[in-house]
Amino acid sequence: KAGVTQTPRYLIKTRGQQVTLSCSPISGHRSVSWYQQTPGQGLQFLFEYFSETQRNKGNFPGRFSGRQFSNSRSEMNVSTLELGDSALYLCASSGLAGDHLLEQFFGPGTRLTVL
Amino acid sequence: LAKTTQPISMDSYEGQEVNITCSHNNIATNDYITWYQQFPSQGPRFIIQGYKTKVTNEVASLFIPADRKSSTLSLPRVSLSDTAVYYCLVGDSDYKLSFGAGTTVTVRA
């Protein structure tokens, strides 16, 4: 079974630009979560999608948004990039047992650098 | 988001047992506790998951007291390759996912 894939793996942008990151979950997984990881803040939850609906959201500004498609693939978008948005963005997919998320499988991440 | 607390770092030697405790006072009734391991430049990797009492798999054990406000990950007989950051993951009363700050475990020869 193929793992979680994220594209691109590396990205360099300048302040004020916007960026779109893509995540393809493991086949059959309908839940996709996004996380931001920085040396100073650690791993922080951005949002979680299930069946094209955002179910959970972390404490990030509205510049961070996402969506999920009918095939469970997900994208996240960051508008008006700031230097502090430089981070590793991780996507994770999971199956569900009721409302309970099962083991999350993480992708390799997208390293975003904002200059 | 739930407040989870873990030690920032722990040192150990090869062959010893390492126990990492995570505090999670706002855990939701139906939420599970999950621990992940992360090596540099890689995404986190699932270690173990539990709801209450004790869970054991081939790499670790998870101890959860009756009130479920904390959990302890136990790594038996660690090796150098167990040097990594360990995170506990729980849901809080708003069902938002929260990782702890992570515990850096360093195993020395």
Side-chain angles (χ1 to χ4, degrees):
Chain A
K1 192 187 264 193
V4 177
T5 58
Q6 292 187 246
T7 56
R9 292 294 311 280
Y10 302 92
L11 205 51
I12 299 175
K13 293 285 188 179
T14 57
R15 281 180 297 174
Q17 287 187 310
Q18 75 165 22
V19 66
T20 298
L21 311 181
S22 181
C23 171
S24 293
I26 290 173
S27 177
H29 285 184
R30 293 164 64 191
S31 171
V32 174
S33 298
W34 288 89
Y35 296 85
Q36 181 196 65
Q37 186 170 36
T38 59
Q41 298 296 320
L43 201 68
Q44 292 188 294
F45 171 71
L46 279 157
F47 26 67
E48 184 243 348
Y49 287 87
F50 178 77
S51 292
E52 303 178 64
T53 300
Q54 186 183 88
R55 297 199 309 166
N56 296 292
K57 190 178 190 314
N59 295 324
F60 278 81
R63 300 186 297 108
F64 292 81
S65 63
R67 60 177 175 169
Q68 187 180 32
F69 303 95
S70 58
N71 62 358
S72 294
R73 189 177 70 84
S74 177
E75 290 181 347
M76 68 163 284
N77 183 275
V78 187
S79 62
T80 319
L81 283 166
E82 300 177 359
L83 295 178
D85 297 333
S86 294
L88 180 67
Y89 290 89
L90 291 159
C91 163
S93 78
S94 174
L96 283 172
D99 284 336
H100 158 58
L101 276 181
L102 298 172
E103 172 186 351
Q104 294 191 46
F105 292 85
F106 283 81
T110 294
R111 174 73 63 184
L112 172 65
T113 301
V114 182
L115 303 176
Chain B
L1 296 175
K3 292 291 187 287
T4 57
T5 304
Q6 299 176 237
I8 294 174
S9 64
M10 298 182 74
D11 288 344
S12 184
Y13 291 92
E14 284 190 294
Q16 290 189 330
E17 178 182 84
V18 172
N19 295 307
I20 311 170
T21 296
C22 177
S23 298
H24 28 77
N25 292 321
N26 295 331
I27 187 169
T29 302
N30 297 326
D31 263 311
Y32 283 64
I33 299 155
T34 312
W35 284 79
Y36 287 82
Q37 175 192 57
Q38 188 177 26
F39 299 110
S41 301
Q42 295 184 26
R45 184 174 70 98
F46 173 87
I47 300 174
I48 197 167
Q49 184 179 75
Y51 181 80
K52 61 180 179 180
T53 63
K54 178 183 175 182
V55 179
T56 298
N57 62 21
E58 62 277 7
V59 298
S61 294
L62 179 59
F63 299 91
I64 305 169
D67 66 6
R68 304 200 329 121
K69 293 186 183 299
S70 66
S71 59
T72 299
L73 173 72
S74 179
L75 306 171
R77 299 177 299 281
V78 294
S79 64
L80 296 176
S81 63
D82 293 317
T83 293
V85 180
Y86 293 82
Y87 295 94
C88 74
L89 175 64
V90 300
D92 71 3
S93 58
D94 293 325
Y95 295 94
K96 292 177 183 174
L97 303 176
S98 174
F99 271 73
T103 299
T104 299
V105 173
T106 303
V107 181
R108 306 181 193 279

